[in-house]
Amino acid sequence: MNTPLIFRQLFDADSSTYTYLLADPDTKEAVLIDPVFEQHLRDRALLEELDLTLLCTLDTHCHADHVTGAWLMQQAVGSKIGISGRYGDMLSGADYLLDHGDVVKFGNRSLEVRATPGHTDGCATFVLDDHSMAFTGDCLLIRSAGRCDFQQGNASTMYRSITEQIFSLPDDCLIWPAHDYSGRTVSSVKEEKLYNPRIGGEADERDFVGYMDNLGLPHPKKIDIAIPANCICGRTEDGTMPVIADWGPVRQTYSGIKEIDPQWVAENLDQVNILDVRGVEEFNDELGHIQGAQLVPLHDLEQRTDEVSTDQPVVTVCKSGRRSGQASVILKKKGITEVASMRGGMLKWNQSDLPTTHD
């Protein structure tokens, strides 16, 4: 019997792209399907918070509407990069050149690779080991199918890919596409067989090809940037990683809060301004406060932002790191961008036996 699965569906609003995280809860080994460059910090934070080891990123195809985050994740956590080998010489930088029948393992679970060309020559569908889930990329979408009018697309080829490789899966197999532009999140093989207006019902190959050949869609707005970048797996032009902050080792949480560790703060007190956002009565309680900290309670911060010292980066502090996280959001909205919340607040500061004062 298969073990349970850690599963998350993530969304990039700009390109309407779904990214999928799958992990074995026993070994904590994970794979990430169709990561988006701009969402790297979000995805990395989720991996850290769930305590997962990312083995590889998998792209269902060479995307034309967004740049993959595969290279960024490779540099950040050492994960491998997997994509179809059918792209040939146009693609470089991948660790795994996948093809039909290959298996990608993560812990006690695995994904089967099914070649599903038609949108592009190198499109692949990743099928979970128990055939309960299929990640179909741009081949089969929810009540739709990927366009076939560029990148060697071919509607007849796609018809065969869908009917032979996806519709051959069990009716209750869930369909998880790479995109949806109407807010739909998941479908099933049975639903698409019955209701997909392009290939469902009694549609034959001529019906499908006729439909697809007359879509008349404009080209994706990022195609001239995305395809060249994705041919090198999303590697940046200068080969460097984007930095969250250049003043310290700031990290971003899955919720989007920028945080920094107390130990670094203690070692660099002369390089930052400490803003304590607890209540007045808490400032000198049993936890004490950091020497030199400026006190502006959170409920007053909106009206007193102009009092905050900004000649150096601001580190917001509270008891646990929750109120200080909100304080960092408020400051950012007010135009103060060099700001981070101290992770764990004064609780972690005291647990680390760092110096406090009660003046």
Side-chain angles (χ1 to χ4, degrees), residues 93-254:
D95 300 288
Y96 304 137
L97 296 177
L98 304 170
D99 207 348
H100 189 81
D102 287 344
V103 174
V104 179
K105 295 182 179 180
F106 56 104
N108 300 309
R109 305 304 302 264
S110 64
L111 291 166
E112 171 198 349
V113 181
R114 294 195 178 193
T116 48
H119 175 62
T120 75
D121 282 347
C123 285
T125 290
F126 300 109
V127 181
L128 193 61
D129 44 31
D130 60 3
H131 288 185
S132 64
M133 309 171 86
F135 302 89
T136 55
D138 278 15
C139 182
L140 181 64
L141 306 176
I142 299 174
R143 305 299 191 269
S144 185
R147 61 194 297 169
C148 305
D149 57 340
F150 61 86
Q151 279 190 286
Q152 297 80 48
N154 184 283
S156 291
T157 301
M158 179 177 280
Y159 178 85
R160 292 189 292 273
S161 291
I162 295 174
T163 56
E164 296 173 11
Q165 300 301 329
I166 300 176
F167 282 177
S168 60
L169 291 165
D171 279 353
D172 62 354
C173 177
L174 297 179
I175 300 298
W176 302 93
H179 302 280
D180 192 86
Y181 306 97
S182 301
R184 297 164 298 201
T185 56
V186 63
S187 185
S188 69
V189 168
K190 182 177 182 179
E191 285 181 53
E192 297 309 315
K193 280 181 178 178
L194 290 173
Y195 305 120
N196 191 299
R198 302 186 182 187
I199 199 169
E202 301 297 321
D204 60 17
E205 184 174 336
R206 287 175 298 180
D207 294 326
F208 182 73
V209 171
Y211 194 120
M212 300 302 291
D213 285 350
N214 289 279
L215 288 177
L217 298 173
H219 274 201
K221 60 183 180 180
K222 292 186 177 180
I223 187 171
D224 293 333
I225 297 172
I227 292 179
N230 289 329
C231 284
I232 54 175
C233 297
R235 185 180 186 272
T236 57
E237 288 185 7
D238 58 3
T240 60
M241 292 283 288
V243 177
I244 302 175
D246 58 9
W247 55 269
V250 177
R251 291 180 287 179
Q252 183 170 304
T253 69
Y254 183 52

